Amino acid sequence: MLVGCGAPQAGPLAAGPWQGSSMVVRPDANLGDSMAAQLLVGRYALDHGEVTIAAEQFGRALEADPGNLDLRLQLLALQIASGGFEEALANARLLAEGEVEADEAYVLLTLDAARRNAFDEAFAQLGRVRSRSLAGVIAPVLEAWLRFATGAADQALTRLEEADRQDGFRRLRVFHRGLMQAMAGRGEEARTTIGELLAQEEEPAPLRVVLSLAALEQAAGNEAAAGVLLERQRDLTGDSFALEQARAGLEAGAPIPLPVTTPQEGMADALLGLAAALYDQRIGGQGLIYARLATFLTPDAGDLQVLLGRIALTQASPERAVEALERVADTSPFSWQARLLRAEALRELGRKEEAARLLQRMSKEQPERVDALVALGDMNRADEQYAEAEKAYAEALARRGAPQRLDWRILYVHGITLERSGRWDEAEKAFLTALELQPDQPLVLNYLGYSWVDQGRHLDRAKEMLHLAVDLRPQDGYIVDSLGWAYFRLGEYELAVEHLERAVELQPGDPVINDHLGDAYWRVGRTREARFQWQRALTLEPEQGEIAAIEQKLRDGLSKDGADRG
């Protein structure tokens, strides 16, 4: 999205009394009707992504202690996160009666007033939001849209200019300034403003920015410029259904709509920007709150439902993901993305055959696209069905023809399935082709370098590749392990120990890395520590074929001639 957010105050769902708890009570357990029981069940539900159940339980607990403001704040967050806006509004009004720091309550009341065009009330509620809170970061954009809605366009634009330039939201404010200029009939200014966000961009720009500028170029009679913009962004993204849809509409003479056409939609877009930034920073609880607040104004926005689906998947709630993604209309520019995510959610629900049928149907609907095939391959690869995965990746590559720069990932995962299927020569060719497209791709460097090390081939070159991969991803325990194993295979055992100890620190729960460190310890004479690492590797559920080898090392150690690999 447009923002890089520092998240100044995490808010009610980012932390709470349940954080770090190890609950073992199921929500259907019979604990009685005490307040403590309701809180316990509610916290269990929250830990497992069941925000609706959690809200119900916290609501019952609050009935026993209606003056507990902390509990009421937590309940408000849960009511918003579950989409229970009627209950949330009633709760927010109660909180607003006191002098409490309840920023989400004031934002919700602001949105409710804006939806009713009660702008004086909206300004009053927004004015209660603390400036250094999370809600306070987005408040200037909300205030600007309120001013725009009252006809004060110049004041709205000035408000966006006055906001803190160091809070990470400058690009979002620039975008909204351009939207306001467009809606005020100042198309040339809007094109310049939004165009700044795409100047000298070598990475894909946010879709809403691209579509907005394309719409403005088209409205100004610059259809060719709009087409070049859409084509350029499609090349950068590799595949984008929404961009292709816009390009087809442009060629047919259909107008590309601005993504925001009312002040209320502008406010929702600002909340969406904040929610997406929080999601990107893995602050999913707060992201969910602000995404839900956006749906209060625009409940049918496709990109909002897609974000809600993504958040639900990261919170291990595939049922909620399916519910959100099924709300995306077939006519939405985000419908294709929603269907891809829906397949992922169906697989998480154990409905793999249904997910596979959906992806196969999508691949036939759009025979020039590859993303459904790649998703099908990824699903089969995750289930270790490598032959089926390889077929899907191979078909995707065939559709692509001559591989492009962004195709490195398809080649990479195709190479993995070929290697796992015992077709090493073909796998090696796929990895090398991927590196031709992306010479500094750490995942490919690691997989190919490790494979060569494991085979005892090209060891010096493999070591160079792995050093580069570690430089690029120094906190990746698997890549650090690969480098340590390369030193082990080269007989440089002290260096192997150094890197493998680091790898275990980064990835302590991996059986292979612990096994490797045991081998290295043995070679430098630290035999007691070696046996400890091998024993630990056995407790970490190694692959079935590795268990006997580890058990033999525990009995006999490593051979003196170094012929074995440990």
Side-chain angles (χ1 to χ4, degrees):
M1 293 298 290
L2 287 164
V3 296
C5 172
Q9 287 198 359
L13 277 191
W18 53 83
Q19 296 298 315
S21 62
S22 55
M23 306 298 293
V24 293
V25 183
R26 292 181 52 80
D28 55 358
N30 183 13
L31 298 175
D33 295 323
S34 68
M35 177 180 173
Q38 302 299 343
L39 285 173
L40 189 63
V41 175
R43 289 168 186 171
Y44 179 94
L46 184 64
D47 282 342
H48 290 76
E50 297 292 346
V51 290
T52 302
I53 296 174
E56 292 172 357
Q57 298 297 330
F58 273 70
R60 293 175 186 172
L62 188 60
E63 290 175 4
D65 187 10
N68 188 326
L69 291 179
D70 287 338
L71 184 55
R72 189 173 292 283
L73 281 167
Q74 298 292 348
L75 176 60
L76 174 70
L78 291 167
Q79 289 168 333
I80 294 172
S82 63
F85 289 117
E86 184 175 347
E87 298 85 355
L89 279 168
N91 199 9
R93 293 187 186 105
L94 287 172
L95 286 164
E97 291 175 359
E99 294 298 323
V100 295
E101 296 178 347
D103 298 301
E104 281 79 12
Y106 304 137
V107 171
L108 177 59
L109 293 172
T110 299
L111 303 182
D112 180 57
R115 196 169 64 168
R116 294 183 281 107
N117 294 325
F119 296 115
D120 288 342
E121 180 184 342
F123 279 119
Q125 294 294 350
L126 188 61
R128 301 183 69 179
V129 173
R130 293 170 296 159
S131 61
R132 300 309 300 173
S133 69
L134 186 55
V137 174
I138 205 67
V141 185
L142 301 180
E143 180 188 338
W145 279 114
L146 289 174
R147 295 190 183 281
F148 191 89
T150 62
D154 288 339
Q155 290 183 23
L157 294 168
T158 300
R159 182 68 185 96
L160 293 178
E161 289 282 3
E162 291 173 347
D164 186 354
R165 296 173 179 270
Q166 305 300 320
D167 63 3
F169 278 75
R170 188 193 70 82
R171 291 172 63 84
L172 184 69
R173 288 193 293 272
V174 169
F175 176 54
H176 281 257
R177 191 168 77 246
L179 290 174
M180 290 179 188
Q181 289 167 337
M183 290 170 60
R186 294 148 66 169
E188 189 64 32
E189 292 179 43
R191 285 169 57 209
T192 301
T193 299
I194 296 179
E196 292 176 7
L197 298 172
L198 283 90
Q200 298 179 339
E201 287 279 0
E202 294 300 326
E203 298 294 330
L207 181 60
R208 286 195 166 210
V209 174
V210 176
L211 294 179
S212 297
L213 185 56
L216 291 167
E217 293 286 9
Q218 182 190 41
N222 301 327
E223 287 85 358
V228 169
L229 169 65
L230 294 171
E231 190 72 25
R232 168 67 174 156
Q233 288 296 316
R234 191 183 68 173
D235 290 343
L236 288 172
T237 60
D239 264 319
S240 173
F241 181 77
L243 292 174
E244 291 174 2
Q245 195 177 53
R247 180 63 187 268
L250 179 68
E251 293 174 353
I256 301 173
L258 281 171
V260 169
T261 58
T262 68
Q264 287 79 3
E265 289 178 355
M267 296 174 78
D269 183 87
L271 293 165
L272 170 62
L274 175 57
L278 292 167
Y279 169 76
D280 289 343
Q281 291 191 347
R282 301 183 181 180
I283 311 175
Q286 285 298 107
L288 177 59
I289 288 178
Y290 283 91
R292 285 290 191 192
L293 285 170
T295 67
F296 183 68
L297 294 176
T298 56
D300 297 322
D303 47 356
L304 264 173
Q305 297 301 330
V306 167
L307 179 59
L308 286 171
R310 289 191 185 281
I311 292 172
L313 283 172
T314 61
Q315 294 179 335
S317 298
E319 299 93 342
R320 284 197 294 117
V322 170
E323 180 184 348
L325 296 166
E326 286 182 340
R327 290 179 59 92
V328 181
D330 291 340
T331 56
S332 169
F334 303 95
S335 62
W336 187 266
Q337 187 179 12
R339 292 169 75 191
L340 289 173
L341 284 173
R342 184 168 176 268
E344 182 179 344
L346 289 171
R347 178 184 177 276
E348 292 295 323
L349 285 169
R351 295 156 60 181
K352 181 184 173 181
E353 291 184 1
E354 185 179 351
R357 287 195 299 270
L358 172 59
L359 293 171
Q360 289 163 351
R361 187 164 61 250
M362 291 174 69
S363 72
K364 292 176 182 177
E365 289 174 13
Q366 299 282 339
E368 75 285 356
R369 297 182 63 87
V370 301
D371 44 7
L373 283 169
V374 172
L376 181 61
D378 289 346
M379 184 171 66
N380 284 319
R381 181 168 56 89
D383 291 337
E384 298 185 358
Q385 296 177 335
Y386 297 117
E388 292 84 350
E390 188 278 324
K391 291 176 184 177
Y393 294 140
E395 185 177 347
L397 288 168
R399 288 187 181 187
R400 294 293 285 172
Q404 304 298 314
R405 179 174 177 268
L406 293 177
D407 292 334
W408 73 265
R409 184 189 177 275
I410 309 177
L411 288 157
Y412 166 62
V413 290
H414 187 220
I416 292 174
T417 57
L418 288 166
E419 182 263 332
R420 295 298 176 91
S421 301
R423 297 161 61 181
W424 170 250
D425 289 344
E426 296 171 80
E428 184 179 54
K429 182 179 178 181
F431 293 135
L432 289 170
T433 304
L435 286 177
E436 289 176 9
L437 300 173
Q438 290 272 20
D440 294 339
Q441 220 310 312
L443 295 177
V444 185
L445 289 166
N446 175 64
Y447 205 102
L448 179 56
Y450 182 89
S451 297
W452 277 345
V453 167
D454 210 39
Q455 297 166 13
R457 303 173 59 219
H458 311 302
L459 292 178
D460 289 334
R461 184 180 175 191
K463 187 170 67 172
E464 292 176 6
M465 293 167 62
L466 293 170
H467 264 293
L468 176 57
V470 169
D471 289 342
L472 294 166
R473 298 276 287 270
Q475 300 303 312
D476 190 316
Y478 297 107
I479 294 179
V480 176
D481 168 70
S482 297
L483 179 58
W485 195 237
Y487 278 116
F488 181 89
R489 295 304 304 271
L490 289 166
E492 300 178 56
Y493 300 123
E494 294 291 349
L495 285 171
V497 166
E498 176 185 335
H499 290 286
L500 292 170
E501 285 181 335
R502 173 65 175 153
V504 167
E505 289 178 9
L506 293 168
Q507 204 69 38
D510 185 82
V512 173
I513 298 176
N514 280 275
D515 182 33
H516 285 172
L517 180 57
D519 291 3
Y521 278 155
W522 187 273
R523 288 295 179 215
V524 297
R526 296 163 64 175
T527 56
R528 182 176 298 179
E529 292 167 277
R531 285 197 163 90
F532 174 84
Q533 291 301 140
W534 291 329
Q535 188 64 56
R536 175 166 172 73
L538 284 177
T539 69
L540 297 173
E541 300 182 3
E543 292 185 9
Q544 194 64 34
E546 299 298 321
I547 294 176
I550 297 173
E551 289 176 340
Q552 181 178 348
K553 288 188 290 188
L554 280 167
R555 290 192 306 269
D556 307 327
L558 297 180
S559 63
K560 293 182 179 180
D561 59 8
D564 52 18
R565 293 184 296 172

